[in-house]
């Protein structure tokens, strides 16, 4: 399944948005967290600044998000992980409300009650969870609902290679295969489950091989490349949409930042990130676009300007939005 | 078609499956998932007869994968369905707790109220038949402790039907606990007071409204589920000794009808909270505290008395189990004690 020119350009621009968003977040996140703004004696304070709490960034992992989401419609469901920004952006979650949520503001997706790991957008049918392996069961449920409603909607569960060792992974694959549900299970293999390398936690090299245990197709994408993900993702989404059941995809991808911002990454071999960045999927896609005559200097500059603008506007919206009133803490436990 | 206005006597299990069946007829988005809920009709018969009426697309036997199907209920509810998921025994919550309390119970809140999750999770609770520590707990207080779930604990067939109807129609997650020893099963002894007249027509019993199961003036006994049946029997025993006990059936823990408890204790001046769940940090302490917080207006005649499962797992052997779970005799004794002690 070859991407059209329009799909290639969408993937390229969306990857740019994700990268810009994450790089800005990496800087914004540090605001107010370093001396001399924090308690004396601390080197870093996780609870300070405009974006408090944990922060897991997805720079480098753009291909898996855009390559799969390029095939999705608004009615399709995506369930993401604790590292969710790239999936949310690729699914079309509005950047302003998402950023406001991460800033804990009243204008956020969840009125400031969820934060960066808990982004819910019912309109664009996106959600995520801070619990490893928790994305799979709700995606199975969304697919079940689609079938019950007589729709050809598809549900995608993204999860990390660490999550493939959770019980929910196996329970969900079995249930989706048994009921032949329109789910695409997409494993992001960024090699690291926080600090533990995949080889130290997973008995087999490719999680895609685990598909054979459930009698469904399993494909591993060996390259952190949007077009390659697009091709494999397209087949899986089409298969689900036609009613032929679930698929499992594992994509080799690269995490440029730490597990969380502030992670000293003592476990990571020196120079690994620099090495990974030499295979940055964004310039690679730009080269592909240029070779096909779909992108020139002027076009690229125009895309970058648009990307800068939407990301800047999102952060400005978040910063200028009010915090919720403290009385709102007691609201929305129930509807 | 003639209006069905009749009333029959039903067991609690029959009342629950009738409620589910009527709501499924009314609303095509309602369906049931769980282990052995199809041909078997539910291990405790809560879905008896429903497979034949609605077929396997709506009465769905699942693999033994509680995380997957309870999580799937959350996912399907977010898409507009109204799933009912049965957790066979509440004791099995350990294998799926993350999907229950980190997702089903919290996603509405974390979405700022923008995600609706009309899921009914139903489960079997309680001991009394020697099934030991992994199949005999009540645990409703564990789930009432954590925000985000409505907690329903019926004591009889009439309430069971009306509360199930309310649970299915509620736009929030509801955890519905039925006690095995009041379901009226042909293979397990049960308290006959739980088998009651039930109207054929659907009706809703609202949440957060306690029921006065028996009126009295000397002692207030607060209970839920099977313990309400024990309390009524204990009150009849105590009446022979001249003690007039009022039995309050809370019916739901979340929301909790604190006012009905306060009103009754204000009248009697004596409170016994009897519970089959664990004593420590649980329902009995919560009810005692709500009265304690109102002592500015409530005048107690005797210190509050609590009965529950003390800090032990439920033992297997019959005499051990009967000594651990409060029995009718324990309640009578506690009422006597309340009548013979006074506050300082």
């Amino acid at each position: 399944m070859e991407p059209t020119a329009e799909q290639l350009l969408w993937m390229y621009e969306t990857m740019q948005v994700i990268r810009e968003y994450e790089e800005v977040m990496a800087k914004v996140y540090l605001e107010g967290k370093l001396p001399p703004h924090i308690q004396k004696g601390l080197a870093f304070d996780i609870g300070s600044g405009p974006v408090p709490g944990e922060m897991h960034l997805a720079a480098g992992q753009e291909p898996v998000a855009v390559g799969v989401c390029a095939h999705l419609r608004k009615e399709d469901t995506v369930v993401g992980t604790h590292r969710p920004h790239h999936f949310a952006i690729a699914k079309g979650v509005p950047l302003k409300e998402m950023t406001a949520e991460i800033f804990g503001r009243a204008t956020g997706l969840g009125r400031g009650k969820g934060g960066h790991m808990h982004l819910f957008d019912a309109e664009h049918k996106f959600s995520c969870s801070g619990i490893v392996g928790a994305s799979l069961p709700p995606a199975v449920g969304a697919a079940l609902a689609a079938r019950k409603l007589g729709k050809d909607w598809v549900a995608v569960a993204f999860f990390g290679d660490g999550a493939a060792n959770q019980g929910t992974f196996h329970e969900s694959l079995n249930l989706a295969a048994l009921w032949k549900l329109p789910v695409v299970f997409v494993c992001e293999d960024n090699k690291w489950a926080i600090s533990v390398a995949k080889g130290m936690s997973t008995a087999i090299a490719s999680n895609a091989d685990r598909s054979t245990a459930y009698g469904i197709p399993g494909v591993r994408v060996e390259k952190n490349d949007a077009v390659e993900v697009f091709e494999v993702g397209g087949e899986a989404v089409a298969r689900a949409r036609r009613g032929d059941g679930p698929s499992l995809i594992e994509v080799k991808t690269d995490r440029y930042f730490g597990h969380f911002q502030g992670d000293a990454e003592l476990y990571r071999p020196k120079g690994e990130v620099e090495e990974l960045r030499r295979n940055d999927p964004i310039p690679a896609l730009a080269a592909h676009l240029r070779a096909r005559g779909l992108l020139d200097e002027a076009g690229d500059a125009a895309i970058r300007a648009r990307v800068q603008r939407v990301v800047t506007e999102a952060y400005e919206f978040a910063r200028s939005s009010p915090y919720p009133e403290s009385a709102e803490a007691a609201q929305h436990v129930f509807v | 078609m003639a209006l069905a206005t009749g009333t029959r006597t039903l067991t609690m299990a029959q009342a629950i499956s009738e409620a589910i069946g009527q709501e499924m007829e009314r609303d095509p988005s309602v369906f049931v998932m769980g282990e052995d809920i199809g041909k078997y009709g539910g291990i405790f018969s809560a879905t008896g007869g429903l497979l034949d009426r609605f077929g396997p697309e709506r009465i769905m036997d699942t693999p033994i994968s509680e995380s997957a199907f309870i999580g799937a209920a959350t996912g399907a509810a977010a898409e507009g369905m109204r799933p009912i998921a049965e957790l066979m025994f509440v004791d099995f919550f350990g294998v799926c707790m993350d999907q229950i309390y980190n997702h089903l119970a919290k996603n509405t809140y974390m979405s700022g109220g923008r995600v609706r999750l009309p899921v009914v999770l139903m489960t079997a609770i309680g001991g009394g038949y020697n099934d030991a520590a992994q199949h005999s707990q009540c645990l409703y207080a564990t789930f009432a402790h954590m925000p985000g779930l409505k907690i329903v604990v019926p004591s009889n067939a009439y309430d069971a039907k009306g509360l199930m109807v309310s649970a299915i129609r509620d736009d929030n997650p509801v955890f519905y606990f039925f006690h095995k020893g009041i379901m009226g099963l042909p293979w397990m002894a049960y308290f006959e007071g739980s088998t009651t007249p039930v109207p054929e027509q659907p009706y809703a019993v609202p949440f957060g409204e306690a029921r006065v199961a028996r009126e009295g003036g000397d002692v207030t006994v607060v209970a839920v589920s099977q313990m309400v049946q024990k309390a009524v029997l204990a009150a009849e025993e105590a009446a022979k000794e001249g003690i007039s006990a009022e039995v309050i059936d809370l019916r739901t823990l979340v929301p909790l009808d604190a006012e009905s408890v306060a009103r009754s204790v204000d009248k009697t001046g004596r409170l016994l909270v009897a519970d089959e769940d664990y004593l420590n940090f649980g329902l009995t302490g919560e009810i005692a505290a709500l009265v304690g917080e109102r002592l500015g207006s409530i005048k107690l005649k005797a210190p509050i008395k609590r009965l529950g499962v003390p800090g032990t797992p439920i033992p297997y052997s019959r005499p051990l189990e009967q000594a651990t779970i409060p029995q009718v005799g324990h309640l009578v004794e506690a009422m006597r004690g309340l009548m013979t002690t006074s506050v300082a």
Side-chain angles (χ1 to χ4, degrees), chain A residues 319-332:
Chain A
R319 279 184 198 278
S320 63
S321 288
Y323 279 107
E325 299 290 331
S326 54
E328 288 178 41
Q331 296 172 0
H332 307 122

PDB file of all heavy atoms in Angstrom, chain A residues 319-332:
ATOM      1  N   ARG A 319      -0.633  28.912  28.235  1.00  0.00           N
ATOM      2  CA  ARG A 319      -0.095  29.844  29.236  1.00  0.00           C
ATOM      3  C   ARG A 319      -1.090  30.926  29.625  1.00  0.00           C
ATOM      4  O   ARG A 319      -1.122  31.361  30.776  1.00  0.00           O
ATOM      5  CB  ARG A 319       1.157  30.535  28.685  1.00  0.00           C
ATOM      6  CG  ARG A 319       2.423  29.719  28.795  1.00  0.00           C
ATOM      7  CD  ARG A 319       3.582  30.579  28.314  1.00  0.00           C
ATOM      8  NE  ARG A 319       4.750  29.779  27.978  1.00  0.00           N
ATOM      9  CZ  ARG A 319       5.634  29.334  28.867  1.00  0.00           C
ATOM     10  NH1 ARG A 319       5.482  29.618  30.147  1.00  0.00           N
ATOM     11  NH2 ARG A 319       6.658  28.621  28.475  1.00  0.00           N
ATOM     12  N   SER A 320      -1.878  31.347  28.650  1.00  0.00           N
ATOM     13  CA  SER A 320      -2.785  32.461  28.939  1.00  0.00           C
ATOM     14  C   SER A 320      -4.130  31.990  29.477  1.00  0.00           C
ATOM     15  O   SER A 320      -4.985  32.795  29.821  1.00  0.00           O
ATOM     16  CB  SER A 320      -2.982  33.310  27.677  1.00  0.00           C
ATOM     17  OG  SER A 320      -3.594  32.509  26.690  1.00  0.00           O
ATOM     18  N   SER A 321      -4.322  30.676  29.545  1.00  0.00           N
ATOM     19  CA  SER A 321      -5.594  30.156  30.058  1.00  0.00           C
ATOM     20  C   SER A 321      -5.603  30.165  31.578  1.00  0.00           C
ATOM     21  O   SER A 321      -4.554  30.005  32.206  1.00  0.00           O
ATOM     22  CB  SER A 321      -5.803  28.712  29.582  1.00  0.00           C
ATOM     23  OG  SER A 321      -6.104  28.684  28.216  1.00  0.00           O
ATOM     24  N   PRO A 322      -6.781  30.334  32.171  1.00  0.00           N
ATOM     25  CA  PRO A 322      -6.861  30.346  33.641  1.00  0.00           C
ATOM     26  C   PRO A 322      -6.750  28.942  34.227  1.00  0.00           C
ATOM     27  O   PRO A 322      -7.089  27.960  33.569  1.00  0.00           O
ATOM     28  CB  PRO A 322      -8.256  30.905  33.905  1.00  0.00           C
ATOM     29  CG  PRO A 322      -9.041  30.507  32.698  1.00  0.00           C
ATOM     30  CD  PRO A 322      -8.087  30.527  31.531  1.00  0.00           C
ATOM     31  N   TYR A 323      -6.297  28.888  35.465  1.00  0.00           N
ATOM     32  CA  TYR A 323      -6.375  27.642  36.217  1.00  0.00           C
ATOM     33  C   TYR A 323      -7.831  27.408  36.604  1.00  0.00           C
ATOM     34  O   TYR A 323      -8.612  28.354  36.737  1.00  0.00           O
ATOM     35  CB  TYR A 323      -5.526  27.725  37.490  1.00  0.00           C
ATOM     36  CG  TYR A 323      -4.052  27.473  37.249  1.00  0.00           C
ATOM     37  CD1 TYR A 323      -3.129  28.520  37.290  1.00  0.00           C
ATOM     38  CD2 TYR A 323      -3.592  26.197  36.988  1.00  0.00           C
ATOM     39  CE1 TYR A 323      -1.783  28.292  37.061  1.00  0.00           C
ATOM     40  CE2 TYR A 323      -2.249  25.957  36.757  1.00  0.00           C
ATOM     41  CZ  TYR A 323      -1.338  26.998  36.801  1.00  0.00           C
ATOM     42  OH  TYR A 323      -0.021  26.764  36.568  1.00  0.00           O
ATOM     43  N   PRO A 324      -8.211  26.138  36.824  1.00  0.00           N
ATOM     44  CA  PRO A 324      -9.574  25.899  37.320  1.00  0.00           C
ATOM     45  C   PRO A 324      -9.737  26.446  38.740  1.00  0.00           C
ATOM     46  O   PRO A 324      -8.752  26.535  39.480  1.00  0.00           O
ATOM     47  CB  PRO A 324      -9.706  24.369  37.302  1.00  0.00           C
ATOM     48  CG  PRO A 324      -8.365  23.810  37.028  1.00  0.00           C
ATOM     49  CD  PRO A 324      -7.438  24.904  36.627  1.00  0.00           C
ATOM     50  N   GLU A 325     -10.961  26.767  39.090  1.00  0.00           N
ATOM     51  CA  GLU A 325     -11.276  27.152  40.472  1.00  0.00           C
ATOM     52  C   GLU A 325     -11.088  25.924  41.369  1.00  0.00           C
ATOM     53  O   GLU A 325     -11.411  24.808  40.953  1.00  0.00           O
ATOM     54  CB  GLU A 325     -12.734  27.618  40.572  1.00  0.00           C
ATOM     55  CG  GLU A 325     -13.075  28.828  39.729  1.00  0.00           C
ATOM     56  CD  GLU A 325     -12.428  30.094  40.257  1.00  0.00           C
ATOM     57  OE1 GLU A 325     -12.202  30.175  41.485  1.00  0.00           O
ATOM     58  OE2 GLU A 325     -12.117  30.993  39.439  1.00  0.00           O
ATOM     59  N   SER A 326     -10.596  26.131  42.580  1.00  0.00           N
ATOM     60  CA  SER A 326     -10.316  24.967  43.431  1.00  0.00           C
ATOM     61  C   SER A 326     -11.584  24.174  43.752  1.00  0.00           C
ATOM     62  O   SER A 326     -11.516  22.961  43.970  1.00  0.00           O
ATOM     63  CB  SER A 326      -9.586  25.386  44.702  1.00  0.00           C
ATOM     64  OG  SER A 326     -10.318  26.382  45.354  1.00  0.00           O
ATOM     65  N   ALA A 327     -12.732  24.839  43.762  1.00  0.00           N
ATOM     66  CA  ALA A 327     -13.985  24.113  44.042  1.00  0.00           C
ATOM     67  C   ALA A 327     -14.273  23.063  42.970  1.00  0.00           C
ATOM     68  O   ALA A 327     -15.015  22.109  43.214  1.00  0.00           O
ATOM     69  CB  ALA A 327     -15.149  25.090  44.138  1.00  0.00           C
ATOM     70  N   GLU A 328     -13.683  23.226  41.781  1.00  0.00           N
ATOM     71  CA  GLU A 328     -13.936  22.266  40.704  1.00  0.00           C
ATOM     72  C   GLU A 328     -13.313  20.898  40.982  1.00  0.00           C
ATOM     73  O   GLU A 328     -13.639  19.916  40.323  1.00  0.00           O
ATOM     74  CB  GLU A 328     -13.398  22.797  39.369  1.00  0.00           C
ATOM     75  CG  GLU A 328     -14.225  23.929  38.807  1.00  0.00           C
ATOM     76  CD  GLU A 328     -13.642  24.487  37.509  1.00  0.00           C
ATOM     77  OE1 GLU A 328     -13.179  23.689  36.671  1.00  0.00           O
ATOM     78  OE2 GLU A 328     -13.633  25.713  37.361  1.00  0.00           O
ATOM     79  N   ALA A 329     -12.404  20.835  41.963  1.00  0.00           N
ATOM     80  CA  ALA A 329     -11.786  19.546  42.297  1.00  0.00           C
ATOM     81  C   ALA A 329     -12.844  18.509  42.662  1.00  0.00           C
ATOM     82  O   ALA A 329     -12.669  17.313  42.425  1.00  0.00           O
ATOM     83  CB  ALA A 329     -10.791  19.706  43.444  1.00  0.00           C
ATOM     84  N   ALA A 330     -13.937  18.960  43.260  1.00  0.00           N
ATOM     85  CA  ALA A 330     -14.976  18.021  43.706  1.00  0.00           C
ATOM     86  C   ALA A 330     -15.955  17.659  42.590  1.00  0.00           C
ATOM     87  O   ALA A 330     -16.807  16.803  42.780  1.00  0.00           O
ATOM     88  CB  ALA A 330     -15.731  18.619  44.883  1.00  0.00           C
ATOM     89  N   GLN A 331     -15.820  18.298  41.446  1.00  0.00           N
ATOM     90  CA  GLN A 331     -16.778  18.048  40.357  1.00  0.00           C
ATOM     91  C   GLN A 331     -16.287  16.952  39.421  1.00  0.00           C
ATOM     92  O   GLN A 331     -15.093  16.666  39.347  1.00  0.00           O
ATOM     93  CB  GLN A 331     -16.999  19.334  39.546  1.00  0.00           C
ATOM     94  CG  GLN A 331     -17.643  20.438  40.341  1.00  0.00           C
ATOM     95  CD  GLN A 331     -17.672  21.762  39.586  1.00  0.00           C
ATOM     96  OE1 GLN A 331     -17.208  21.857  38.461  1.00  0.00           O
ATOM     97  NE2 GLN A 331     -18.193  22.783  40.226  1.00  0.00           N
ATOM     98  N   HIS A 332     -17.242  16.364  38.686  1.00  0.00           N
ATOM     99  CA  HIS A 332     -16.963  15.418  37.601  1.00  0.00           C
ATOM    100  C   HIS A 332     -16.507  14.035  38.060  1.00  0.00           C
ATOM    101  O   HIS A 332     -16.007  13.264  37.257  1.00  0.00           O
ATOM    102  CB  HIS A 332     -15.925  15.999  36.614  1.00  0.00           C
ATOM    103  CG  HIS A 332     -16.300  17.350  36.096  1.00  0.00           C
ATOM    104  ND1 HIS A 332     -15.498  18.453  36.253  1.00  0.00           N
ATOM    105  CD2 HIS A 332     -17.415  17.778  35.479  1.00  0.00           C
ATOM    106  CE1 HIS A 332     -16.080  19.504  35.729  1.00  0.00           C
ATOM    107  NE2 HIS A 332     -17.248  19.121  35.259  1.00  0.00           N
TER     108      HIS A 332
END
